[in-house]
Amino acid sequence: MDLVCLDLEGVLVPEIWITFAEHTGIEELKRTTRDEPDYDKLMQYRINILKEHNLGLKEIQEVIEGIDPLPGAKEFLEKLKETTQVLIISDTFTQFAKPLMKKLGYPTLFCNELVVAEDGTITGHKMRCPQSKLSTVKALQSVGFETIASGDSHNDMAMIQASKAGFLFRTTEQLKKEHPELQAFESYDDLFQAIKGVLS
């Protein structure tokens, strides 16, 4: 039983925090897991910046409403779902993901939760489990699935390396250099063909 595990941001949709940073003009919010592999540290950094600028969940959700999937992402996902089972494993949050899932045709998503005060201030975050991407892949393997994984960032590496096959997608030159053993793709067609090759 094969199951394809995909990252969300950078693979299927634009990076939410980068889009929000561009929208607000707050350069510091452009920092992602590509720059800071420690997710807890990164989230605390973001929460502090939001607080400084008096921004909350409402403002982020308004920007997310205007985000569309990356060109070709929805078609790629549909083609993949016709071929095999697909799961999106993301470090994003349920409060961010809903409008994006609708635009992608409601694929299955495992992600995390934000802790939000009554006034809409983001005060923290709750991870579904430690090392959520790796833990999920290992749990799937423990119930008989063979996983194939793809992502673009440091926080995708553990799930990629733990899978029977893994691919980098639209990643950084730095990550390609650090992991020459992994194939890296720029187009959905190439990624689809590579996954199909593993499935057959």
Side-chain angles (χ1 to χ4, degrees), residues 25-123:
I26 303 168
E27 283 296 307
E28 301 98 312
L29 287 174
K30 286 187 176 175
R31 201 166 168 76
T32 71
T33 48
R34 288 176 171 197
D35 314 295
E36 174 52 76
D38 184 329
Y39 196 72
D40 287 331
K41 204 167 152 187
L42 177 64
M43 272 311 296
Q44 201 43 63
Y45 170 80
R46 288 165 170 167
I47 289 166
N48 293 340
I49 290 165
L50 292 174
K51 205 185 231 168
E52 264 173 51
H53 292 269
N54 209 19
L55 294 165
L57 181 61
K58 183 175 153 284
E59 289 79 6
I60 300 174
Q61 284 177 328
E62 281 168 3
V63 171
I64 291 169
E65 283 291 341
I67 295 177
D68 285 319
L70 292 165
K74 190 169 188 269
E75 297 74 9
F76 163 72
L77 208 48
E78 280 167 4
K79 204 158 66 159
L80 204 51
K81 285 195 292 187
E82 283 168 18
T83 312
T84 187
Q85 295 181 86
V86 182
L87 173 64
I88 297 172
I89 309 174
S90 173
D91 278 338
T92 195
F93 306 97
T94 50
Q95 293 96 328
F96 288 0
K98 213 173 175 185
L100 298 169
M101 291 304 102
K102 186 180 180 183
K103 290 176 184 179
L104 285 169
Y106 294 107
T108 303
L109 169 74
F110 286 6
C111 65
N112 306 303
E113 286 278 330
L114 286 169
V115 181
V116 185
E118 272 181 37
D119 66 356
T121 304
I122 297 168
T123 58

Side-chain angles (χ1 to χ4, degrees), residues 127-143:
M127 299 299 273
R128 201 167 33 80
C129 58
Q131 290 188 292
S132 59
K133 295 187 181 192
L134 176 63
S135 301
T136 303
V137 158
K138 285 193 173 297
L140 291 165
Q141 291 165 350
S142 78
V143 291

Side-chain angles (χ1 to χ4, degrees), residues 182-198:
L182 294 173
Q183 284 182 281
F185 300 108
E186 294 298 319
S187 83
Y188 289 116
D189 281 345
D190 289 345
L191 181 58
F192 179 75
Q193 290 307 327
I195 292 168
K196 219 173 141 190
V198 176

Side-chain angles (χ1 to χ4, degrees), residues 114-182:
L114 286 169
V115 181
V116 185
E118 272 181 37
D119 66 356
T121 304
I122 297 168
T123 58
H125 67 289
K126 278 193 288 204
M127 299 299 273
R128 201 167 33 80
C129 58
Q131 290 188 292
S132 59
K133 295 187 181 192
L134 176 63
S135 301
T136 303
V137 158
K138 285 193 173 297
L140 291 165
Q141 291 165 350
S142 78
V143 291
F145 286 101
E146 289 200 88
T147 59
I148 299 163
S150 183
D152 71 322
S153 228
H154 286 285
N155 65 335
D156 300 312
M157 288 312 305
M159 80 166 176
I160 288 173
Q161 289 168 326
S163 294
K164 78 163 177 181
F167 308 104
L168 292 168
F169 186 70
R170 295 184 181 170
T171 189
T172 60
E173 288 307 315
Q174 183 59 35
L175 218 46
K176 285 184 207 173
K177 214 177 283 176
E178 286 171 22
H179 297 279
E181 77 283 2
L182 294 173

